[in-house]
Amino acid sequence: MHPFLDITKLSIAFPKSPLPVLREVDLKIERGEYVAVIGHSGCGKSTLLNVVAGLLPATAGGVLLEGREISGPGPDRAVVFQNHSLLPWLTCYENVALAVDQTLKGEMSKKQRHDWVLENLALVHMTAAKDKRPNEISGGMKQRIGIARALAMRPKVLLLDEPFGALDALTRAHLQDQVMEIHARLKTTVIMITHDVDEAVLLSDRIVMLTNGPNATVGEILTVDLERPRDRLKLAADPRFVAARTAVLEFLHSRHANPALQAA
Amino acid sequence: MNAVSTKPAAEPAVVSRPALAALPKPSRIVPFIAQVVPPLMVLALLGVGWEYLASGPNATLPPPSKVWVDARDLIVDPFFDRGGLDKGLFWHLLASLQRVALGFALSAVVGVGLGMLIGSSPFFMRGLDPIFQVLRTVPPLAWLPLSLAAFREAQPSAIFVIFITAIWPIIINTAVGVLNVPQDYRNVAAVIRLRGLAFFWKIVLPAAAPYIFTGLKIGIGLSWLAIIAAEMLIGGVGIGFFIWDAWNSSNLSDIIVALIYVGLVGFMLDKVVALAGRIATRGTQAS
């Protein structure tokens, strides 16, 4: 039996750089698992995600999803981009509808697709703003539409590329709770790129820590052994949460401190 | 802490609040006056200066008072039509505008198409861009003899001159717009597998629209510049030939009136395209 998502000996090199960004990354992810990938800036986290998304080709090695090799992007691996990437000339509804019409045309009637768009907007609590354009709503709301658009494609894997990085702390916490809620409800497999330790510990089942690039690879994988649903207030003092947090911080700041900062 | 605790704790704020005094409404007439007065004042000053400079015994150009006397028919009634070329300015402007409309519409369609092509294909970019860069520097009127030779008629030649004048900025701006479609949007399209024509129609065209309208705006301005010059040479009804004709019969006052109209129409054309652009691209600029 294959793992659900299987990253094997994945190396990625860009043409102009002598060293590969990522070298021989191995990672197996089970169905329904929530995995966070954490590491310093420039360690190739986003590159890894882009390869899984199919937006970048692998130089060596590969990615299997349900036993089939990934070649090129597709709606089965929907991405929530860091900068939301909504199309500014479309309303929120239309942004989600574009993805739904494009990816589910064969499976649903027009009416069903309309309802499905509304259902996904409701899932992220954005029904009220469905006819607004992206420049009329806040950053957090844009990101929620981005999540709705990704979920509406009914992806096998949801890829989150630092989805809350550009948001203020309060909005971020609110969205994290929503993502946890959605994950609990839909049991989607999620890979999330982040550089926020608390976020990684709070949301994930496992935390994949990457060493510094170039030649970055998986340094350590931490299993977060906390039952769901998780409550950020109760967990703040929970020794298991604190231990997991410390372990990640230890990895990032002691054993694999940011080389750029050390040089300074 | 003190400041907080003096507030009644759980009382609904709405009940006890006294009604707020109505805020004074901002005046709408004052900003309007501030907008309109300076240009009117400058205009009046220029008129006075012109009157003074052109009133001397050696003045070669007529002062405004003389323009008014000479060209009164032309100014007050732009709609008269006495047959032949003896028509009100409205008819001349209309004829010129029709040529511009036709030539510009053609160049908009062809220009946007070619711009999309070279913007999305490195092969065509490399192949066509050098040619375009050379051709776009050819002054509009230099095309006229060739187009007269090709079409053997004044009307299509004039339209061709408009077309060839307006097309370059449209092509170049469209191509730049296509090249500047953000990678984010391309990624979104890739993930939902939007390809080919649908990708162009739903992503590239709207994303490039602000650039396209910049090209159209420059194009319409150039068209209006070119039509006046072209009409001077081809004759017939049209504001360009009207000016040339007035020069030949030494009606300097008519020329001045016509110039003012040409300026106003050019200004309007610019505003119309800008407005169309704003309507078509609303939401695209800010994200």
Side-chain angles (χ1 to χ4, degrees), chain A residues 180 202 227 229-236:
Chain A
M180 276 197 285
L202 181 66
E227 63 282 359
R230 294 173 183 171
D231 178 331
R232 68 173 66 244
L233 283 179
K234 283 185 195 138
L235 282 180

Side-chain angles (χ1 to χ4, degrees), chain A residues 73-75 83 85 88-89 102 153, chain B residues 184-185 191-194 202 206 283:
Chain A
N83 56 358
S85 296
W89 56 88
Q102 185 63 25
M153 299 175 205
Chain B
D184 301 338
Y185 302 169
V191 169
I192 65 173
R193 297 218 171 106
L194 199 59
K202 292 190 169 153

